[in-house]
């Protein structure tokens, strides 16, 4: 790989298709929901019946503008829809409504981290609104192709980057960053398995010394960051082989077969003129106002990257945790609301709280059906009281986890209250050290042989004895205190046992 990159510089551009988070389709009132039974979300408009007229979805425009503003684009206050004409069985209209010469957003940029803590700016050529096509299903029958038109007319934005990406790794980092911004701002749900976000990558190689740029190909429909990287790596190898064997690189469309980790040349790519673009006669030009732009700018406030930087400084939490906490806007809010409600506020508790949310809350969330933190049964109010109790040492971490599990299962508000749970289950830690001493002496009398071994230097017995003591106290003793007293009794007191 390095060899290739020394001689040839990959020149990569991405086209990112992302489904906008709207309830209805781009130009009709049909539902935009995933996974509906085939051909149930359709109407004359999205099926392209003669005479049916499209009406633009306002929410789609709002979300597309939001993406444009977040990606530092300039906005065309007047943009035009166009027809892209082509025949395909899953496109019953025979054309796709998109934007061509005058897209909604253009000339943006995004920064990605590169080696040595440096940042690289990648230009965003344009962002335009377009509609999706349907789906051809070949898997059900061996002799027939079935068509599902539910996706026809689903609103998408296509984000087109400038060809300023120079490695498959950079492409994946950029794609991840864009996904994070889109999901953070609720523009797109980011679900790559269901096709809400997919990437096309165009790639060519440039000779580093001769400065010669060779032919370009386009890899279509990649729906994971790994596939994007893998497919680009394979295509770089193929293009290198073609260059070195003096074959011409044709402007082809490439398909990536993830199962067999192979690429296949599909067809010669249509050139722009093949599509016979013309302005969509059924839609007037789209005009947006300065007030709307201002309103959207206001609603964005802090982007994930800025939030992450702030979390690092304000709460001094490790970068890995800040990274996870800023993947989703609602999780950010959950974290900050919990922090704000804590009675004990210091950097140690900020770190502990970040840990708790990453390890316990997000783990639970990933296993739950909804995966949406807004539906999570333990709200910041109750989590912060649980953590306050933990931080004051009234319960230990094991008990706190047990209380947290009970809180998740609890039916009503009262049962969710950690104070109530701890009292009703008698979970409070034994504060009285003499009580712990008595318990330890009792245990040591039962396990005299082990105690003697421990005293004569078999250190591994310690864990066994602490386990027995913790079991007898039902986890209500502080393990550190238990260890301290155990050592004192075994090595210092030595009497009565
Ligand atoms: Zn429809």
């Amino acid at each position: 790989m390095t060899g290739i990159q020394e001689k040839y510089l990959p020149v990569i551009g991405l086209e990112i298709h992302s489904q906008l988070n709207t309830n209805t389709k781009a130009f009709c009132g049909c539902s935009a929901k995933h996974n509906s039974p085939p051909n149930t979300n359709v109407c004359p408009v999205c099926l392209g019946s003669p005479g049916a007229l499209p009406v633009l979805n306002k929410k789609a425009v709002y979300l597309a503008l939001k993406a444009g503003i977040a990606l530092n684009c300039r906005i065309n206050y007047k943009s035009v829809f166009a027809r892209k004409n082509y025949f395909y069985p899953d496109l019953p209209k025979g054309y796709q409504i998109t934007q061509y010469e005058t897209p909604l957003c253009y000339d943006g940029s995004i920064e990605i981290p590169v080696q040595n803590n440096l940042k690289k700016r990648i230009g965003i050529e344009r962002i335009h609104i377009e509609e999706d096509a349907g789906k051809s299903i070949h898997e059900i029958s061996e002799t027939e192709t079935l068509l599902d038109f539910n996706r026809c007319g689903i609103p998408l934005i296509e984000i087109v980057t400038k060809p300023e990406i120079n490695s498959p790794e950079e492409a994946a980092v950029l794609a991840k960053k864009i996904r994070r911004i889109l999901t953070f701002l609720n523009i797109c749900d980011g679900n790559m398995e269901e096709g809400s976000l997919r990437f096309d990558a165009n790639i060519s190689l440039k000779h580093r010394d001769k400065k010669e740029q060779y032919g370009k190909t386009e890899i279509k429909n990649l729906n994971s960051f790994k596939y994007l990287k893998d497919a680009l790596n394979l295509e770089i190898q193929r293009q290198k082989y073609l260059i070195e064997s003096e074959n011409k690189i044709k402007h082809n469309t490439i398909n990536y077969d993830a199962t067999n980790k192979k690429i296949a040349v599909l067809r010669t790519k249509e050139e722009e003129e093949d599509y016979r673009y013309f302005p969509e006669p059924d839609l007037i030009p789209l005009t947006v106002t300065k007030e709307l732009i201002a309103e959207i700018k206001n609603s964005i406030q802090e982007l994930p990257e800025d939030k992450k930087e702030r979390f690092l400084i304000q709460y001094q939490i490790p970068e890995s945790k800040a990274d996870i906490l800023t993947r989703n806007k609602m999780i950010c809010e959950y974290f900050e609301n919990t922090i704000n409600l804590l009675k004990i506020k210091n950097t140690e508790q900020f770190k502990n709280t970040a840990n708790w949310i990453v390890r316990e809350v997000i783990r639970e969330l990933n296993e739950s059906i909804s995966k949406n933190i807004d539906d999570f049964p333990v709200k910041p109010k109750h989590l912060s009281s649980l953590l306050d109790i933990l931080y004051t040492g009234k319960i230990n971490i094991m008990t706190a986890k047990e209380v947290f599990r009970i809180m998740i299962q609890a039916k009503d508000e009262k049962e969710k209250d950690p104070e109530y749970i701890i009292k009703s289950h008698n979970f409070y830690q034994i504060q009285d050290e003499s009580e712990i001493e008595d318990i330890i002496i009792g245990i040591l009398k039962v396990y005299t042989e082990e105690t003697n071994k421990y005293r004569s230097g078999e250190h591994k017995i310690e864990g066994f004895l602490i386990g027995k003591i913790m079991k007898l106290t039902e986890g209500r003793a502080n393990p550190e205190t238990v260890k301290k007293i155990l050592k004192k009794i075994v090595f210092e007191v030595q009497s009565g046992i």
Side-chain angles (χ1 to χ4, degrees):
M1 194 64 246
T2 345
I4 295 172
Q5 291 200 339
E6 273 166 18
K7 193 165 173 188
Y8 302 104
L9 178 74
V11 179
I12 302 165
L14 291 184
E15 287 171 14
I16 301 165
H17 296 265
S18 33
Q19 176 171 342
L20 297 170
N21 262 344
T22 58
N23 294 326
T24 55
K25 292 188 179 179
F27 303 108
C28 63
C30 292
S31 165
K33 240 172 73 186
H34 284 295
N35 299 329
S36 301
N39 299 310
T40 51
N41 298 335
V42 289
C43 75
V45 175
C46 51
L47 289 177
S49 297
L53 289 174
V55 177
L56 179 60
N57 183 333
K58 205 172 167 182
K59 177 89 186 282
V61 177
Y62 186 91
L63 295 175
L65 283 169
K66 207 172 182 183
I69 293 166
L71 295 172
N72 308 303
C73 288
R74 299 170 73 182
I75 308 295
N76 268 322
Y77 286 92
K78 193 171 182 182
S79 63
V80 177
F81 284 96
R83 281 192 187 180
K84 182 181 182 181
N85 298 283
Y86 64 98
F87 170 78
Y88 216 71
D90 59 19
L91 187 73
K93 283 202 292 213
Y95 63 86
Q96 177 194 27
I97 303 180
T98 178
Q99 296 191 301
Y100 185 51
E101 279 163 342
T102 332
L104 184 60
C105 317
Y106 66 104
D107 200 15
S109 68
I110 180 169
E111 275 186 346
I112 54 162
V114 286
Q115 280 169 340
N116 304 328
N117 269 337
L118 295 172
K119 283 183 175 161
K120 176 175 171 180
R121 184 182 172 279
I122 309 272
I124 305 286
E125 179 86 40
R126 57 188 279 148
I127 301 177
H128 63 253
I129 301 177
E130 63 181 30
E131 57 176 345
D132 208 352
K135 205 168 135 193
S136 303
I137 302 157
H138 311 285
E139 295 82 23
I140 297 177
S141 158
E142 275 188 17
T143 51
E144 289 168 320
T145 293
L146 302 176
L147 294 166
D148 177 7
F149 293 134
N150 280 350
R151 286 197 72 84
C152 282
I154 295 271
L156 310 175
I157 43 170
E158 183 175 334
I159 303 169
V160 183
T161 78
K162 291 193 173 147
E164 295 175 344
I165 302 159
N166 296 117
S167 71
E169 290 72 27
E170 273 183 25
V173 169
L174 176 72
K176 273 185 200 166
K177 186 159 179 190
I178 289 187
R179 179 179 184 268
R180 182 176 288 203
I181 292 173
L182 296 178
T183 52
F184 195 85
L185 296 177
N186 258 326
I187 295 168
C188 169
D189 67 18
N191 189 331
M192 298 197 279
E193 272 168 32
E194 286 180 351
S196 296
L197 195 67
R198 31 190 220 266
F199 312 102
D200 294 347
N202 54 68
I203 168 156
S204 60
L205 297 182
K206 192 172 170 180
H207 201 290
R208 281 188 199 257
D209 305 325
K210 294 186 209 155
K211 302 285 174 217
E212 185 181 354
Q213 184 142 3
Y214 304 95
K216 182 170 81 173
T217 57
E218 195 173 323
I219 314 171
K220 294 296 251 186
N221 264 327
L222 299 158
N223 66 348
S224 92
F225 303 122
K226 189 176 181 303
Y227 297 167
L228 173 65
K229 216 161 77 174
D230 291 353
L232 281 168
N233 272 324
L234 287 171
E235 179 56 8
I236 289 173
Q237 302 287 351
R238 193 184 73 93
Q239 290 192 4
K240 186 201 165 209
Y241 163 77
L242 290 174
I243 295 166
E244 309 249 295
S245 58
E246 296 186 353
N247 277 304
K248 196 170 178 283
I249 296 168
K250 289 187 194 138
H251 193 187
N252 281 329
T253 300
I254 311 274
N255 189 34
Y256 176 62
D257 173 358
T259 323
N260 299 307
K261 294 192 168 49
K262 277 184 193 161
I263 47 173
V265 176
L266 280 189
R267 57 189 150 99
T268 311
K269 172 111 181 79
E270 288 87 353
E271 299 299 334
E272 302 253 295
E273 58 267 27
D274 293 336
Y275 290 119
R276 300 285 187 274
Y277 284 96
F278 63 83
E280 167 58 58
D282 292 337
L283 288 166
I284 55 166
L286 166 62
T287 48
V288 290
T289 59
K290 287 209 165 86
E291 290 73 31
L292 179 63
I293 305 294
E295 184 196 319
I296 296 171
K297 271 190 185 153
N298 238 344
S299 78
I300 292 179
Q301 294 170 350
E302 217 178 9
L303 285 171
E305 200 84 345
D306 305 325
K307 221 178 240 300
K308 186 175 147 187
E309 292 294 315
R310 181 167 64 79
F311 279 12
L312 293 178
I313 298 163
Q314 188 175 349
Y315 303 121
Q316 310 259 309
I317 57 177
E319 192 173 351
S320 59
K321 300 287 181 311
D323 197 56
I324 297 173
L325 292 170
T326 53
R327 271 182 206 165
N328 172 310
K329 194 175 189 177
M330 286 181 293
I331 291 185
C332 284
E333 281 168 9
Y334 187 94
F335 168 67
E336 288 210 279
N337 288 341
T338 308
I339 290 276
N340 290 336
L341 289 165
L342 284 179
K343 287 198 188 85
I344 311 158
K345 287 188 179 68
N346 57 44
T347 44
E348 202 192 327
Q349 308 317 4
F350 295 155
K351 276 184 205 162
N352 290 336
T353 306
N355 266 342
W356 186 281
I357 293 177
V358 170
R359 289 195 192 140
E360 305 300 324
V361 178
I362 296 180
R363 188 176 50 83
E364 280 291 336
L365 205 61
N366 288 340
E367 285 167 14
S368 71
I369 306 161
S370 140
K371 305 206 187 311
N372 186 342
I373 200 152
D374 270 0
D375 303 330
F376 193 64
V378 180
K379 305 290 176 210
K381 179 183 146 199
H382 287 137
L383 179 64
S384 60
S385 358
L386 172 66
L387 295 178
D388 270 330
I389 299 168
L390 171 68
Y391 298 157
T392 47
K394 289 180 185 158
I395 54 172
N396 65 31
I397 185 89
M398 294 314 292
T399 311
K401 285 183 184 174
E402 177 68 22
V403 175
F404 184 63
R405 271 190 286 277
I406 298 171
M407 287 160 84
I408 293 170
Q409 310 288 335
K411 301 265 179 311
D412 60 34
E413 275 297 288
K414 188 184 160 195
E415 285 181 19
K416 276 196 181 104
D417 178 10
E419 197 97 34
Y420 169 82
I421 297 170
I422 293 165
K423 271 193 194 136
S424 60
H425 286 76
N426 194 19
F427 277 155
Y428 274 119
Q429 286 206 149
I430 305 165
Q431 299 291 327
D432 184 354
E433 291 200 1
S434 65
E435 195 180 326
I436 299 174
E437 266 180 42
D438 291 344
I439 292 166
I440 294 178
I441 290 171
I443 288 282
L444 297 183
K445 276 183 179 159
V446 176
Y447 296 98
T448 45
E449 204 177 311
E450 286 80 0
T451 307
N452 287 334
K453 280 184 187 167
Y454 178 45
R455 189 180 288 124
S456 58
E458 274 194 50
H459 191 73
K460 61 180 183 200
I461 304 282
E462 186 181 271
F464 168 83
L465 292 171
I466 291 177
K468 294 288 169 199
I469 299 157
M470 293 306 288
K471 199 173 171 196
L472 199 71
T473 62
E474 292 172 316
R476 287 167 54 235
N478 180 328
E480 285 306 309
T481 314
V482 167
K483 200 165 159 181
K484 191 184 81 189
I485 301 175
L486 172 71
K487 280 194 160 144
K488 195 177 98 185
I489 294 172
V490 174
F491 297 105
E492 228 180 280
V493 183
Q494 297 200 15
S495 59
I497 46 163

